Amino acid sequence: AMLKYGPDQLHLYLMDFKGGTEFKVYETARLPHIKLLALDAMQEFGESILENLVAEMESRSKLFKEAGTANLKDYVRNGGGSLPRIIVMMDEFQILFNYATNRTVANNCAELTKRLVTEGRSYGIHLLMATQSTKVINDLTLSRGTIEQMRIRIGLKCGDYDARYLFTDRNERSALSLMSGPIGTAVLN
């Protein structure tokens, strides 16, 4: 994405909630696209970033209404000005929704994420979320409805619980059987 789009067209927010190893290379290799680099982020920090992203979405909503457009593509095409797409990459995102750490923050993160997942695309705000386990997440925080709004879900080899959470009870058995291939086998919903 950084090779195809300039920093005026694409902003990246990179957050790792467990150890910071996935994005550590960008600590020294600073790139103009990267507007946020958070290594080993805390749940409350993630909450503040989600709040800022929702505020950005609301700001863009006002711009789009004033310009008489409904989405980023139309806004730019109709001369509204340049607005970069924002891609938020979160590794070990389940930390945001962990009730055991802070129930109030977990609930707020779930509501903010729901808004970003359901409304963010038209405003050019996209979430890429990765985790090794969804066990600390439940319907009290990140609901199945929000997960189902995530149009693309990819599952690598995982257990029953994670397959059920990602692919719904109805499709979990077929997802699990498809995941039984060699290392690197993935299932796309």
Side-chain angles (χ1 to χ4, degrees):
M2 288 187 285
L3 293 174
K4 185 172 180 175
Y5 301 101
D8 60 321
Q9 298 171 301
L10 176 67
H11 289 176
L12 297 175
Y13 290 49
L14 308 177
M15 296 187 288
D16 192 333
F17 291 94
K18 201 172 182 184
T21 58
E22 297 306 321
F23 302 126
K24 194 153 186 72
V25 66
Y26 298 112
E27 196 171 35
T28 54
R30 299 297 298 193
L31 299 169
H33 296 81
I34 299 174
K35 301 304 176 189
L36 171 72
L37 177 63
L39 306 176
D40 207 13
M42 303 294 288
Q43 187 182 36
E44 292 82 1
F45 179 77
E47 177 187 34
S48 71
I49 297 305
L50 293 174
E51 287 170 342
N52 288 336
L53 289 165
V54 167
E56 175 65 21
M57 186 175 68
E58 290 169 349
S59 172
R60 289 180 178 203
S61 174
K62 289 176 187 169
L63 287 173
F64 293 1
K65 284 178 186 170
E66 290 169 5
T69 60
N71 59 54
L72 179 64
K73 186 177 178 181
D74 291 343
Y75 178 79
V76 172
R77 186 179 4 177
N78 293 339
S82 178
L83 280 178
R85 289 199 179 275
I86 298 171
I87 298 178
V88 183
M89 296 181 183
M90 291 185 254
D91 192 31
E92 300 301 342
F93 75 90
Q94 81 281 2
I95 300 296
L96 290 172
F97 311 106
N98 188 345
Y99 248 39
T101 305
N102 186 321
R103 181 176 287 200
T104 303
V105 172
N107 283 334
N108 193 36
C109 287
E111 283 304 311
L112 295 166
T113 299
K114 179 180 178 181
R115 286 204 56 203
L116 289 165
V117 166
T118 57
E119 302 170 41
R121 285 186 303 267
S122 62
Y123 299 108
I125 300 173
H126 309 276
L127 303 179
L128 274 163
M129 302 164 66
T131 187
Q132 293 180 34
S133 176
T134 61
K135 289 195 178 187
V136 300
I137 305 170
N138 59 46
D139 270 348
L140 297 175
T141 53
L142 193 62
S143 73
R144 183 169 309 279
T146 301
I147 294 295
E148 289 174 0
Q149 284 289 320
M150 295 176 183
R151 299 292 185 222
I152 299 172
R153 297 184 302 277
I154 300 171
L156 300 173
K157 285 189 173 195
C158 63
D160 290 357
Y161 181 88
D162 292 322
R164 196 170 28 260
Y165 187 78
L166 288 173
F167 301 109
T168 71
D169 296 330
R170 185 182 63 223
N171 297 320
E172 94 179 74
R173 285 288 149 218
S174 62
L176 279 170
S177 67
L178 291 170
M179 289 179 196
S180 65
I183 292 175
T185 300
V187 174
L188 173 67
N189 68 309

